[in-house]
Amino acid sequence: MARRGLLRRLPEAWRQPLAVVGAVLAVAWIVIALAAPALAPHDPLAQDLPRLAAPGPGHWFGTDQLGRDILSRVLHGARVSIPLTLLLVALSVLIGGLLGACAGYFGRWVDETIMRLADLVFAFPTVILAMVVAAALGASLGNAVLAVLVVAWPAYARVTRGLVLGIREREFVLSGRLLGFPVWRSLRVDVLPNVTGPVLVLATLDIGTALLLLSGLSFLGLGAKPPSPEWGAMVASGVEVFDSWWVATFPGLAILTVVLAFNFLGDTLRDALDPRTARAIKERAL
């Protein structure tokens, strides 16, 4: 009864099957990332198992060409890929959101400068620009994060600017100006609460994209370096032994499930924050 009462308190959007699947997958991977050393059956860097052994008892995901346990490497890979992806999205939101808020609030030359810089980034294909930046900085996981950050912040700047333009002439913002409130107080108190929802939805949906970009750079040799158990690099190593399907399949499935989880959560968050969509879901449930 208590569990049923708790479920009834949840918004209708969060009771949908995809929302539940996304939440379960996301929580599971976060727990795995935190508890990987305790969950992994072997040292992810140890090369003491039979090479290219098929999945079976003792090594459920098989082993790679160096005799390393793939299950252990996938579990430890969560400690690399997921925190870096979340950090990357958080920095993109912070930088892009701040620049977009300044562009929309101040306008004039501030708006022109920031938006033309964003247009410059948008002028290049995302993956190609990330590859160029990563190659220029040097192949490493940290530089790969910076490369993806360079191509990710303009989307948040544009969205935040559009939202700020829509509310900066509202009565509660204008009244704050007339009362002599400092600019940063107005941005923090009046503007920030009204743009947080849409930006949060975009950030949740963007986690999957950021993970794919980060893994893609590692796949191309511009990110994590051996023997780091990073999912993109593990998929790349599986290409060398294509007949041993398990080497690339299991890290690829890890990427797939994380991307699906946060895409489902992003869609659910969008539905929950949109009054019209939330009302439609509630009426359909009734």
Side-chain angles (χ1 to χ4, degrees):
M1 295 294 294
R3 184 182 303 175
R4 189 173 301 175
L6 179 62
L7 289 175
R8 289 178 180 174
R9 295 177 187 175
L10 290 175
E12 196 65 41
W14 291 100
R15 302 184 213 169
Q16 302 304 307
L18 291 183
V20 175
V21 171
V24 169
L25 286 175
V27 170
W29 274 116
I30 291 173
V31 171
I32 288 172
L34 294 173
L39 296 174
H42 300 278
D43 184 342
L45 304 181
Q47 304 177 19
D48 53 0
L49 295 174
R51 297 183 180 183
L52 296 177
H59 36 78
W60 295 105
F61 284 6
T63 62
D64 62 11
Q65 57 268 51
L66 297 178
R68 297 174 296 192
D69 182 63
I70 294 177
L71 173 58
S72 300
R73 290 180 63 77
V74 169
L75 295 178
H76 278 268
R79 296 173 65 86
V80 177
S81 297
I82 294 177
L84 285 179
T85 301
L86 295 177
L87 175 63
L88 171 60
V89 173
L91 290 175
S92 300
V93 171
L94 180 62
I95 296 173
L98 181 60
L99 291 176
C102 291
Y105 192 86
F106 294 108
R108 299 184 180 180
W109 66 268
V110 177
D111 186 17
E112 285 294 319
T113 302
I114 295 174
M115 286 301 102
R116 295 299 76 78
L117 184 60
D119 289 340
L120 180 64
V121 177
F122 280 128
F124 297 91
T126 301
V127 177
I128 301 300
L129 181 58
M131 290 170 56
V132 170
V133 174
L137 295 175
S140 72
L141 197 53
N143 289 339
V145 172
L146 290 177
V148 179
L149 178 60
V150 168
V151 302
W153 71 266
Y156 297 96
R158 276 200 174 280
V159 170
T160 307
R161 171 184 178 269
L163 293 170
V164 173
L165 285 175
I167 65 172
R168 71 176 183 179
E169 302 300 329
R170 300 281 294 273
E171 291 79 2
F172 60 90
V173 178
L174 293 176
S175 62
R177 292 183 188 173
L178 294 175
L179 291 172
F181 291 158
V183 171
W184 296 112
R185 183 193 181 281
S186 180
L187 284 171
R188 186 181 72 255
V189 175
D190 298 329
V191 175
L192 181 61
N194 291 280
V195 303
T196 299
V199 173
L200 183 59
V201 172
L202 177 61
T204 307
L205 290 169
D206 208 31
I207 290 174
T209 304
L211 177 60
L212 288 173
L213 276 174
L214 200 58
S215 300
L217 291 177
S218 295
F219 179 85
L220 296 171
L222 297 172
K225 289 297 183 182
S228 175
E230 196 274 337
W231 290 339
M234 292 175 66
V235 174
S237 68
V239 175
E240 303 172 2
V241 286
F242 201 73
D243 291 339
S244 301
W245 56 269
W246 56 88
V247 178
T249 298
F250 290 111
L253 288 175
I255 296 172
L256 173 65
T257 52
V258 173
V259 172
L260 285 178
F262 284 100
N263 282 349
F264 290 162
L265 288 179
D267 288 338
T268 304
L269 190 60
R270 179 190 59 200
D271 294 342
L273 293 177
D274 185 353
R276 289 174 298 181
T277 306
R279 191 181 308 114
I281 293 174
K282 186 175 182 179
E283 291 174 354
R284 188 168 65 242
L286 296 174

